[in-house]
Amino acid sequence: MARSTLSIKRRALAAVAGGASLAIVLTACSGSGDGGDAGDTEAATADCAAYEEYGDLSGKTVSVYTTIVDTEAEQQQESYKPFEDCTGATIKYEGSKEFEAQLPIRIQSGSAPDIAYIPQPGFLKSLVQDYPDAILPVGDAASANVDEFYTESWRDYGTVDGTLYATPLGANVKSFVWYSPAMFEDAGYEIPTTWDELIALSDQIVEDNPDGEIKPWCAGIGSGEATGWPATDWMEDVVLRTAGPDVYDQWVNHEIPFNDPQIADALATVGTVLKNDDYVNGGIGDVSSIATTEFTEGGLPILDGLCYMHRQASFYQANWPEGTTVAEDGDVFAFYFPGNDTEAKPVLGGGEFVVSFADRPEVQAFQAFLTSPEWSNAKATATPQGWISANKELDKSLLQSPIDQLSYGLLTDDSYVFRFDGSDMMPAAVGAGSFWTEMTEWIASDKSDTAVLDAIEASWPTS
């Protein structure tokens, strides 16, 4: 199994600043007396009221295995403290960069963790198919939480052959264009609300900068062994806009071929931006420079006034240099990557999912906790920036980054149609293989649209 798109992308991200301490103090939740007055007891009881449904789990341990390491791992563990303090359970956390390779080995050897965080629906499907007796259907409490707190699409992404096997954890939004509010204001530019307006703005920027030193767009798709994935994100976002969500679903599930005319139209549309010498690559080079520029550096020319726009996900906020203010009135911010019209509002995104390999009460309780508003709020409190949940009852005020607040609004607004990252849904040979490499060749070697799409279609597994 090739490494998943999400975990490789995660490793490529710049480190986020250290986590904030969890604000909720629950040291009295276990009910041990320390001489506190009645008011203190009432406060502790109120703090733990939401956890009473899980029962007394004192002495119980739940093992968790994930791709999440370093600072993010510390923030994850901090977010479990209310559950541990109020139930008495202990969460044994292990993050690994070799998660995708090691999890199947652990399953085969009979040493699967109690809980694992799966970084892509495609990987989930392969695990269910390969180990149908190992991964357990989601328990009643967690399933009910998914129905109550998440949109139907998030349930669908955790479902295989009609059975819910995985519950949502974190999320991100990819349908963003980063820009400098000051540059837009100084030039008198308005944020575009349709694709046509976006192209008209790009043309206006070219006209206003005839020497070509300042370009409408800057981009980079370099990412080590995962080079090419930012170009696949461009493609996925544009398929959603030119062909629509239904065709997107057919494409991702290979119900239509990769070289279908509708997909070819989308690639040609991407080419009007990324392969347009007049549009790219501001402050960096020509079109081919996109392939050799690390995605972490692709948007930085905005800070030097050398390009106006950079299409990247919400998590790109971690890549701006220290001291950069990310806000609507700051050094940089992002606007929604517009659709064909103001009524069509597709949103591309990603996230992780929780699966269980044990049906012990404490395991089911912890999975239910991870689907609850209590966990989402604890995680938001523990994370300075770069994390959101699609849980509708997350307290938005706890999100400490303006771009996270904007992302959460898109994820939970019913007028926007969410679709999961296509490469994360496809078989690994395509989604983390030919799709990446062929899009890189499309940029680096000017490989033709037809040759690229035909090659990816030929790589699709036949069984």
Side-chain angles (χ1 to χ4, degrees):
M1 171 67 65
R3 291 190 181 99
S4 75
T5 309
L6 184 62
S7 63
I8 294 176
K9 293 174 189 176
R10 182 190 302 284
R11 280 172 235 151
L13 293 176
V16 178
S21 298
L22 193 63
I24 303 172
V25 179
L26 297 167
T27 54
C29 283
S30 62
S32 57
D34 60 358
D37 61 25
D40 292 336
T41 302
E42 289 175 3
T45 301
D47 283 337
C48 284
Y51 298 82
E52 292 178 357
E53 63 183 284
Y54 304 128
D56 183 0
L57 303 177
S58 299
K60 305 295 184 182
T61 298
V62 178
S63 62
V64 176
Y65 188 46
T66 92
T67 63
I68 303 171
V69 297
D70 303 327
T71 300
E72 288 183 89
E74 296 173 6
Q75 295 162 357
Q76 280 285 335
Q77 293 174 81
E78 185 73 13
S79 72
Y80 308 152
K81 288 183 65 63
F83 180 85
E84 293 178 303
D85 291 341
C86 288
T87 68
T90 298
I91 307 303
K92 182 181 178 183
Y93 184 94
E94 180 184 1
S96 171
K97 296 180 179 180
E98 302 301 322
F99 172 88
E100 290 89 343
Q102 289 300 315
L103 181 59
I105 294 173
R106 294 192 181 191
I107 296 172
Q108 293 169 17
S109 66
S111 57
D114 295 326
I115 291 282
Y117 297 166
I118 305 299
Q120 57 171 186
F123 188 32
L124 169 65
K125 291 179 181 178
S126 68
L127 289 174
V128 172
Q129 292 166 358
D130 294 342
Y131 311 104
D133 298 326
I135 298 181
L136 302 180
V138 172
D140 291 343
S143 180
N145 281 353
V146 173
D147 287 339
E148 182 176 0
F149 301 125
Y150 293 84
T151 62
E152 186 176 355
S153 61
W154 285 96
R155 169 177 274 273
D156 291 342
Y157 291 125
T159 298
V160 180
D161 296 332
T163 298
L164 181 65
Y165 285 100
T167 54
L169 192 71
N172 60 67
V173 171
K174 298 193 170 189
S175 299
F176 280 133
V177 177
W178 291 87
Y179 74 108
S180 162
M183 283 181 68
F184 267 53
E185 182 177 359
D186 291 346
Y189 298 150
E190 299 288 336
I191 292 175
T193 59
T194 67
W195 177 264
D196 286 345
E197 289 180 4
L198 183 67
I199 297 304
L201 172 60
S202 300
D203 290 337
Q204 185 64 52
I205 293 170
V206 172
E207 182 179 335
D208 292 344
N209 298 276
D211 59 7
E213 292 185 7
I214 300 173
K215 298 289 183 72
W217 295 90
C218 46
I221 65 171
S223 187
E225 63 188 280
T227 291
W229 70 259
T232 71
D233 281 3
W234 259 97
M235 178 74 168
E236 291 155 9
D237 243 337
V238 171
V239 170
L240 280 172
R241 283 151 180 76
T242 60
D246 291 341
V247 172
Y248 180 90
D249 294 340
Q250 295 169 16
W251 172 55
V252 167
N253 294 315
H254 208 225
E255 295 169 3
I256 59 174
F258 214 101
N259 51 6
D260 184 272
Q262 298 167 101
I263 307 307
D265 286 346
L267 183 58
T269 300
V270 177
T272 63
V273 176
L274 290 188
K275 296 183 79 170
N276 186 335
D277 282 316
D278 289 336
Y279 281 9
V280 297
N281 192 17
I284 300 174
D286 59 11
V287 168
S288 65
S289 70
I290 295 173
T292 55
T293 300
E294 289 297 305
F295 92 93
T296 55
E297 300 176 1
L300 300 187
I302 290 176
L303 297 177
D304 296 322
L306 296 173
C307 73
Y308 274 86
M309 295 178 287
H310 177 63
R311 188 224 153 274
Q312 242 318 336
S314 57
F315 52 67
Y316 194 77
Q317 66 184 302
N319 296 105
W320 298 108
E322 185 177 355
T324 303
T325 301
V326 178
E328 193 169 6
D329 58 352
D331 301 314
V332 291
F333 201 53
F335 60 82
Y336 167 69
F337 190 47
N340 283 347
D341 56 62
T342 56
E343 299 300 317
K345 296 179 179 180
V347 173
L348 182 71
E352 308 97 0
F353 294 84
V354 180
V355 299
S356 66
F357 297 92
D359 61 1
R360 303 191 313 275
E362 61 270 24
V363 177
Q364 292 209 2
F366 185 62
Q367 187 169 19
F369 166 63
L370 293 173
T371 63
S372 70
E374 288 75 33
W375 178 72
S376 290
N377 290 337
K379 181 64 172 69
T381 304
T383 308
Q385 67 170 22
W387 180 89
I388 55 173
S389 164
N391 190 307
K392 293 180 179 180
E393 294 300 316
L394 167 65
D395 183 351
K396 184 178 178 180
S397 69
L398 296 175
L399 296 172
Q400 301 170 52
S401 158
I403 199 69
D404 292 339
Q405 294 175 355
L406 178 60
S407 299
Y408 179 73
L410 297 184
L411 282 179
T412 55
D413 185 336
D414 290 338
S415 68
Y416 290 84
V417 179
F418 179 83
R419 286 297 185 270
F420 209 91
D421 181 294
S423 62
D424 282 354
M425 299 283 288
M426 296 171 184
V430 178
S434 61
F435 197 5
W436 289 351
T437 58
E438 290 297 323
M439 291 297 289
T440 301
E441 286 301 306
W442 183 69
I443 292 288
S445 304
D446 196 24
K447 191 170 183 176
S448 73
D449 293 10
T450 298
V452 164
L453 296 178
D454 287 349
I456 301 173
E457 171 60 23
S459 74
W460 198 285
T462 57
S463 59

